[in-house]
Amino acid sequence: MATNDTASVSVLGLGAMGSTLAAALVKAGYPTTVWNRSAGKADDLVSHGVRAAATAGDAVRASRLVITCLLDHASVREVLDPLADELAGRALINVTTTTPEQAREMAAWAGRAAVAYLDGGIMAVPSMIGHPGSSILYSGSAAVFHKYKPLLDLWGGSTYVGADDGLASLYDLALLTGMYAMFAGFMHGTAMVAPAGVTAGEFAAMAGPWQTAMTGAFPRFAAVIDNGDYTVEGQQSLEFSELALRGILAASADQDVSTEVPAMVQRLMQRQMDAGHGEEGFTRIIESIKQPR
Ligand code: NDP
C-alpha cells in the first residue's frame, strides 16, 4: 500500500499503455484518478476503483503526482500547456514516447512552470507491464525518481539513466533501432525460406535461439568499439563478412525476394572497404554509421 506522501496519482491518457499503467496502480492500492480525451475508456478502470476525472485539469488537481501517457509530444503539450498553473509544485512523469530534444523541451517547460519533471521511456508492450522483462528507463529529476520508485517498480524494472532529461528517450530510441533492424532481418529470412515451403512458424523456431545466441557477441563488439582499434585479432573481417552478404543477396534474388535489408548492411561495409579497411573487423561499420555520406 502506498504511503501518504506518495499516495495519490493521476494518469492522463488511457490508450493501450496508459490504461495498463493505471490498472497496475489501482491494483496495488494507489488512489488513482484518470482522464482521457475521449469518453468511455475509463469505464473498466472505474469498476476497479479508479476515479474518472471530467477534465484534465480535474485530474491534475487530484494528485501530487501526474503521469502522462499520451500519443506523442504534441499531444502532451496540447493537454498540459493550459494547465501549467495547476501543475506548479507537483511532480510530472511523462512516459509518452518522444525524441530526446522533445523530452528536453518538456523539461524546460516544466522548469518554467515549477513542476518537478521525470521523463520515461517504456521498454515493454502493455501485456508485459508488471511482468518479468518489462523495463522502463527514466531521466531528469533524480528526486522524483527516488521518491516514486516503489510506484514505478510496479510496472517493471525501473532504471534511472541520468539527469539529462533526453537520456531515457535517447536510450529508448537507440534500443528500438536494434529491435527494428532485428525484426527486419527476421522478416527477410522468413521471406527467403517461404518459397521452399518453410512456414514462418518453423523459421521462427530456428531464428529465435540463433539471434539470441548472436547477442553474445555484443560485449566483444563493444570492447573493440570502445578501444577504437578495429584491427584486433580474432574478429571476422569486413572482407570475410562481405562474402556472406554477397551470398545472402544472391540467394535472395534467386528466391525473388527484395534485397533491401541485406543491401543496407552491405553498403555500410562497402564504404569501409572502399576506404581501405577490408581486413579490419566487421565492427568497423559503426564508422559508416557515425559519418553519414
Ligand atoms: P494509444 O494510441 O492506444 O493511445 C493514445 C492515447 O493518447 C489515447 O489516450 C488518446 O486519446 C491520447 N491522445 C492522442 N492524441 C491526443 C490529443 N491531441 N489530446 C489528448 N489526448 C490525446 O497509444 P498507447 O497507449 O499504446 O501509447 C501511449 C504512449 O506510450 C505512446 O507515446 C507510445 O509510444 C508509448 N508506448 C506504447 C507502447 C505500446 O506497446 N503500446 C510501448 C512503449 C511505449 P483518445 O482515446 O481520445 O484517442
Side-chain angles (χ1 to χ4, degrees):
M1 188 59 165
T3 62
N4 280 339
D5 194 28
T6 56
S8 61
V9 52
S10 291
V11 178
L12 308 188
L14 297 178
M17 185 56 84
S19 56
T20 307
L21 301 180
L25 299 178
V26 74
K27 190 176 167 200
Y30 283 88
T32 306
T33 300
V34 296
W35 171 82
N36 194 66
R37 175 181 61 175
S38 312
K41 292 213 176 156
D43 294 352
D44 188 46
L45 288 164
V46 167
S47 71
H48 289 88
V50 165
R51 179 180 162 261
T55 66
D58 285 348
V60 165
R61 283 184 290 274
S63 307
R64 302 300 304 163
L65 171 63
V66 175
I67 290 160
T68 41
C69 187
L70 298 166
L71 184 66
D72 56 9
H73 177 67
S75 54
V76 176
R77 289 297 304 265
E78 190 182 321
V79 171
L80 295 188
D81 273 1
L83 298 174
D85 289 346
E86 279 91 338
L87 267 168
R90 298 174 202 273
L92 171 64
I93 302 180
N94 180 25
V95 293
T96 306
T97 305
T98 66
T99 67
E101 277 311 307
Q102 289 169 338
R104 292 178 189 119
E105 191 208 298
M106 199 62 226
W109 178 93
R112 290 192 295 276
V115 175
Y117 184 75
L118 186 66
D119 199 84
I122 304 176
M123 308 310 301
V125 295
S127 61
M128 291 166 69
I129 295 298
H131 298 288
S134 169
S135 151
I136 308 190
L137 310 175
Y138 297 95
S139 56
S141 167
V144 172
F145 176 77
H146 291 298
K147 179 172 180 179
Y148 292 105
K149 190 165 184 302
L151 180 154
L152 303 177
D153 285 344
L154 294 170
W155 298 331
S158 313
T159 306
Y160 180 74
V161 292
D164 171 354
D165 301 278
L167 265 186
S169 164
L170 186 63
Y171 272 105
D172 180 352
L173 298 179
L175 290 165
L176 285 182
T177 308
M179 182 191 80
Y180 281 115
M182 175 188 70
F183 283 173
F186 169 70
M187 305 305 169
H188 183 87
T190 303
M192 274 180 85
V193 296
V198 180
T199 67
E202 287 166 338
F203 187 64
M206 286 197 185
W210 161 251
Q211 296 205 346
T212 302
M214 287 302 94
T215 63
F218 288 177
R220 293 194 299 279
F221 286 170
V224 170
I225 293 164
D226 286 341
N227 285 331
D229 177 6
Y230 304 102
T231 65
V232 177
E233 293 286 319
Q235 302 180 82
Q236 290 190 348
S237 70
L238 282 165
E239 280 165 357
F240 179 88
S241 303
E242 209 269 336
L243 285 176
L245 260 297
R246 254 190 263 173
I248 296 167
L249 289 166
S252 301
D254 290 346
Q255 301 288 95
D256 275 338
V257 305
S258 159
T259 54
E260 288 160 283
V261 173
M264 177 270 290
V265 182
Q266 197 204 31
R267 276 198 303 276
L268 295 173
M269 296 164 73
Q270 194 63 52
R271 289 213 332 252
Q272 295 306 311
M273 292 169 64
D274 290 347
H277 303 294
E279 291 177 6
E280 298 179 31
F282 176 82
T283 40
R284 197 171 172 108
I285 69 166
I286 195 171
E287 296 297 332
S288 297
I289 297 165
K290 282 182 180 171
Q291 295 157 32
R293 259 192 224 281

mmCIF file of all heavy atoms in Angstrom, residues 68-90:
data_model
loop_
_atom_site.group_PDB
_atom_site.id
_atom_site.type_symbol
_atom_site.label_atom_id
_atom_site.label_comp_id
_atom_site.label_asym_id
_atom_site.label_seq_id
_atom_site.Cartn_x
_atom_site.Cartn_y
_atom_site.Cartn_z
ATOM 1 N N THR A 68 1.732 11.309 -17.537
ATOM 2 C CA THR A 68 1.168 11.462 -18.879
ATOM 3 C C THR A 68 1.614 10.294 -19.740
ATOM 4 O O THR A 68 2.807 9.971 -19.815
ATOM 5 C CB THR A 68 1.615 12.793 -19.531
ATOM 6 O OG1 THR A 68 2.994 13.019 -19.225
ATOM 7 C CG2 THR A 68 0.790 13.958 -19.048
ATOM 8 N N CYS A 69 0.632 9.645 -20.369
ATOM 9 C CA CYS A 69 0.931 8.576 -21.329
ATOM 10 C C CYS A 69 0.036 8.818 -22.530
ATOM 11 O O CYS A 69 -0.973 8.142 -22.728
ATOM 12 C CB CYS A 69 0.680 7.202 -20.697
ATOM 13 S SG CYS A 69 1.214 5.848 -21.773
ATOM 14 N N LEU A 70 0.404 9.834 -23.302
ATOM 15 C CA LEU A 70 -0.387 10.247 -24.461
ATOM 16 C C LEU A 70 0.319 9.794 -25.731
ATOM 17 O O LEU A 70 1.339 9.103 -25.673
ATOM 18 C CB LEU A 70 -0.598 11.762 -24.418
ATOM 19 C CG LEU A 70 -1.391 12.233 -23.182
ATOM 20 C CD1 LEU A 70 -1.290 13.735 -22.996
ATOM 21 C CD2 LEU A 70 -2.844 11.791 -23.274
ATOM 22 N N LEU A 71 -0.243 10.184 -26.852
ATOM 23 C CA LEU A 71 0.272 9.642 -28.115
ATOM 24 C C LEU A 71 1.698 10.091 -28.415
ATOM 25 O O LEU A 71 2.576 9.284 -28.728
ATOM 26 C CB LEU A 71 -0.664 10.072 -29.261
ATOM 27 C CG LEU A 71 -0.324 9.518 -30.625
ATOM 28 C CD1 LEU A 71 -0.508 8.015 -30.644
ATOM 29 C CD2 LEU A 71 -1.176 10.189 -31.700
ATOM 30 N N ASP A 72 1.928 11.411 -28.304
ATOM 31 C CA ASP A 72 3.230 11.960 -28.693
ATOM 32 C C ASP A 72 3.452 13.299 -27.983
ATOM 33 O O ASP A 72 2.600 13.760 -27.210
ATOM 34 C CB ASP A 72 3.315 12.127 -30.220
ATOM 35 C CG ASP A 72 2.177 13.004 -30.763
ATOM 36 O OD1 ASP A 72 1.447 13.616 -29.952
ATOM 37 O OD2 ASP A 72 2.017 13.079 -31.992
ATOM 38 N N HIS A 73 4.584 13.891 -28.275
ATOM 39 C CA HIS A 73 4.959 15.158 -27.625
ATOM 40 C C HIS A 73 3.893 16.237 -27.846
ATOM 41 O O HIS A 73 3.518 16.948 -26.905
ATOM 42 C CB HIS A 73 6.307 15.608 -28.193
ATOM 43 C CG HIS A 73 6.790 16.918 -27.674
ATOM 44 N ND1 HIS A 73 7.159 17.112 -26.372
ATOM 45 C CD2 HIS A 73 6.952 18.126 -28.292
ATOM 46 C CE1 HIS A 73 7.551 18.359 -26.196
ATOM 47 N NE2 HIS A 73 7.428 19.007 -27.346
ATOM 48 N N ALA A 74 3.409 16.340 -29.084
ATOM 49 C CA ALA A 74 2.435 17.398 -29.395
ATOM 50 C C ALA A 74 1.180 17.234 -28.540
ATOM 51 O O ALA A 74 0.630 18.223 -28.040
ATOM 52 C CB ALA A 74 2.081 17.358 -30.887
ATOM 53 N N SER A 75 0.732 15.992 -28.336
ATOM 54 C CA SER A 75 -0.496 15.797 -27.546
ATOM 55 C C SER A 75 -0.248 16.123 -26.077
ATOM 56 O O SER A 75 -1.132 16.637 -25.386
ATOM 57 C CB SER A 75 -1.060 14.386 -27.733
ATOM 58 O OG SER A 75 -0.103 13.405 -27.454
ATOM 59 N N VAL A 76 0.965 15.865 -25.592
ATOM 60 C CA VAL A 76 1.280 16.206 -24.196
ATOM 61 C C VAL A 76 1.235 17.732 -24.023
ATOM 62 O O VAL A 76 0.618 18.254 -23.081
ATOM 63 C CB VAL A 76 2.666 15.649 -23.777
ATOM 64 C CG1 VAL A 76 3.024 16.100 -22.358
ATOM 65 C CG2 VAL A 76 2.679 14.131 -23.859
ATOM 66 N N ARG A 77 1.874 18.436 -24.951
ATOM 67 C CA ARG A 77 1.866 19.904 -24.852
ATOM 68 C C ARG A 77 0.445 20.455 -24.985
ATOM 69 O O ARG A 77 0.060 21.376 -24.265
ATOM 70 C CB ARG A 77 2.783 20.525 -25.926
ATOM 71 C CG ARG A 77 4.280 20.313 -25.694
ATOM 72 C CD ARG A 77 4.779 20.965 -24.407
ATOM 73 N NE ARG A 77 4.506 22.399 -24.333
ATOM 74 C CZ ARG A 77 5.357 23.341 -24.685
ATOM 75 N NH1 ARG A 77 6.556 23.016 -25.120
ATOM 76 N NH2 ARG A 77 5.038 24.617 -24.583
ATOM 77 N N GLU A 78 -0.320 19.857 -25.888
ATOM 78 C CA GLU A 78 -1.699 20.321 -26.098
ATOM 79 C C GLU A 78 -2.520 20.190 -24.804
ATOM 80 O O GLU A 78 -3.278 21.088 -24.450
ATOM 81 C CB GLU A 78 -2.340 19.495 -27.214
ATOM 82 C CG GLU A 78 -3.669 20.023 -27.704
ATOM 83 C CD GLU A 78 -4.259 19.116 -28.785
ATOM 84 O OE1 GLU A 78 -3.508 18.598 -29.637
ATOM 85 O OE2 GLU A 78 -5.491 18.920 -28.750
ATOM 86 N N VAL A 79 -2.318 19.081 -24.106
ATOM 87 C CA VAL A 79 -3.090 18.847 -22.876
ATOM 88 C C VAL A 79 -2.547 19.676 -21.712
ATOM 89 O O VAL A 79 -3.315 20.247 -20.931
ATOM 90 C CB VAL A 79 -3.090 17.336 -22.519
ATOM 91 C CG1 VAL A 79 -3.702 17.092 -21.145
ATOM 92 C CG2 VAL A 79 -3.840 16.543 -23.589
ATOM 93 N N LEU A 80 -1.212 19.743 -21.581
ATOM 94 C CA LEU A 80 -0.630 20.369 -20.380
ATOM 95 C C LEU A 80 -0.434 21.882 -20.479
ATOM 96 O O LEU A 80 -0.435 22.568 -19.447
ATOM 97 C CB LEU A 80 0.705 19.705 -20.027
ATOM 98 C CG LEU A 80 0.646 18.228 -19.610
ATOM 99 C CD1 LEU A 80 2.002 17.772 -19.115
ATOM 100 C CD2 LEU A 80 -0.426 17.987 -18.536
ATOM 101 N N ASP A 81 -0.256 22.396 -21.682
ATOM 102 C CA ASP A 81 0.005 23.841 -21.802
ATOM 103 C C ASP A 81 -0.997 24.694 -21.033
ATOM 104 O O ASP A 81 -0.603 25.608 -20.295
ATOM 105 C CB ASP A 81 0.048 24.268 -23.278
ATOM 106 C CG ASP A 81 1.444 24.104 -23.873
ATOM 107 O OD1 ASP A 81 2.345 23.649 -23.137
ATOM 108 O OD2 ASP A 81 1.632 24.422 -25.058
ATOM 109 N N PRO A 82 -2.292 24.399 -21.141
ATOM 110 C CA PRO A 82 -3.247 25.254 -20.406
ATOM 111 C C PRO A 82 -3.251 24.977 -18.896
ATOM 112 O O PRO A 82 -3.941 25.677 -18.166
ATOM 113 C CB PRO A 82 -4.613 24.860 -21.002
ATOM 114 C CG PRO A 82 -4.332 23.952 -22.152
ATOM 115 C CD PRO A 82 -2.982 23.397 -21.971
ATOM 116 N N LEU A 83 -2.504 23.957 -18.453
ATOM 117 C CA LEU A 83 -2.588 23.540 -17.050
ATOM 118 C C LEU A 83 -1.317 23.834 -16.258
ATOM 119 O O LEU A 83 -1.111 23.284 -15.173
ATOM 120 C CB LEU A 83 -2.888 22.020 -16.974
ATOM 121 C CG LEU A 83 -4.218 21.592 -17.604
ATOM 122 C CD1 LEU A 83 -4.350 20.077 -17.605
ATOM 123 C CD2 LEU A 83 -5.381 22.227 -16.837
ATOM 124 N N ALA A 84 -0.453 24.686 -16.804
ATOM 125 C CA ALA A 84 0.835 24.962 -16.153
ATOM 126 C C ALA A 84 0.634 25.436 -14.708
ATOM 127 O O ALA A 84 1.334 24.977 -13.794
ATOM 128 C CB ALA A 84 1.618 25.987 -16.959
ATOM 129 N N ASP A 85 -0.331 26.337 -14.485
ATOM 130 C CA ASP A 85 -0.531 26.868 -13.132
ATOM 131 C C ASP A 85 -0.986 25.773 -12.167
ATOM 132 O O ASP A 85 -0.531 25.714 -11.018
ATOM 133 C CB ASP A 85 -1.564 28.009 -13.139
ATOM 134 C CG ASP A 85 -1.000 29.254 -13.814
ATOM 135 O OD1 ASP A 85 0.233 29.294 -14.004
ATOM 136 O OD2 ASP A 85 -1.793 30.142 -14.176
ATOM 137 N N GLU A 86 -1.895 24.906 -12.629
ATOM 138 C CA GLU A 86 -2.381 23.811 -11.766
ATOM 139 C C GLU A 86 -1.269 22.814 -11.450
ATOM 140 O O GLU A 86 -1.225 22.226 -10.371
ATOM 141 C CB GLU A 86 -3.526 23.047 -12.441
ATOM 142 C CG GLU A 86 -4.865 23.719 -12.321
ATOM 143 C CD GLU A 86 -5.125 24.653 -13.496
ATOM 144 O OE1 GLU A 86 -4.149 25.083 -14.150
ATOM 145 O OE2 GLU A 86 -6.296 24.958 -13.744
ATOM 146 N N LEU A 87 -0.358 22.633 -12.402
ATOM 147 C CA LEU A 87 0.711 21.637 -12.211
ATOM 148 C C LEU A 87 1.822 22.131 -11.285
ATOM 149 O O LEU A 87 2.581 21.325 -10.729
ATOM 150 C CB LEU A 87 1.334 21.276 -13.564
ATOM 151 C CG LEU A 87 0.736 20.064 -14.295
ATOM 152 C CD1 LEU A 87 1.261 20.019 -15.716
ATOM 153 C CD2 LEU A 87 1.080 18.766 -13.569
ATOM 154 N N ALA A 88 1.941 23.438 -11.118
ATOM 155 C CA ALA A 88 3.039 24.006 -10.319
ATOM 156 C C ALA A 88 3.112 23.343 -8.947
ATOM 157 O O ALA A 88 2.090 23.155 -8.286
ATOM 158 C CB ALA A 88 2.833 25.511 -10.170
ATOM 159 N N GLY A 89 4.311 22.947 -8.567
ATOM 160 C CA GLY A 89 4.519 22.329 -7.257
ATOM 161 C C GLY A 89 4.274 20.830 -7.243
ATOM 162 O O GLY A 89 4.528 20.167 -6.236
ATOM 163 N N ARG A 90 3.799 20.285 -8.366
ATOM 164 C CA ARG A 90 3.560 18.839 -8.424
ATOM 165 C C ARG A 90 4.696 18.163 -9.186
ATOM 166 O O ARG A 90 5.581 18.813 -9.746
ATOM 167 C CB ARG A 90 2.226 18.547 -9.135
ATOM 168 C CG ARG A 90 1.039 19.133 -8.421
ATOM 169 C CD ARG A 90 -0.256 18.963 -9.201
ATOM 170 N NE ARG A 90 -1.206 19.966 -8.751
ATOM 171 C CZ ARG A 90 -2.034 19.817 -7.712
ATOM 172 N NH1 ARG A 90 -2.070 18.685 -7.050
ATOM 173 N NH2 ARG A 90 -2.834 20.795 -7.342
#
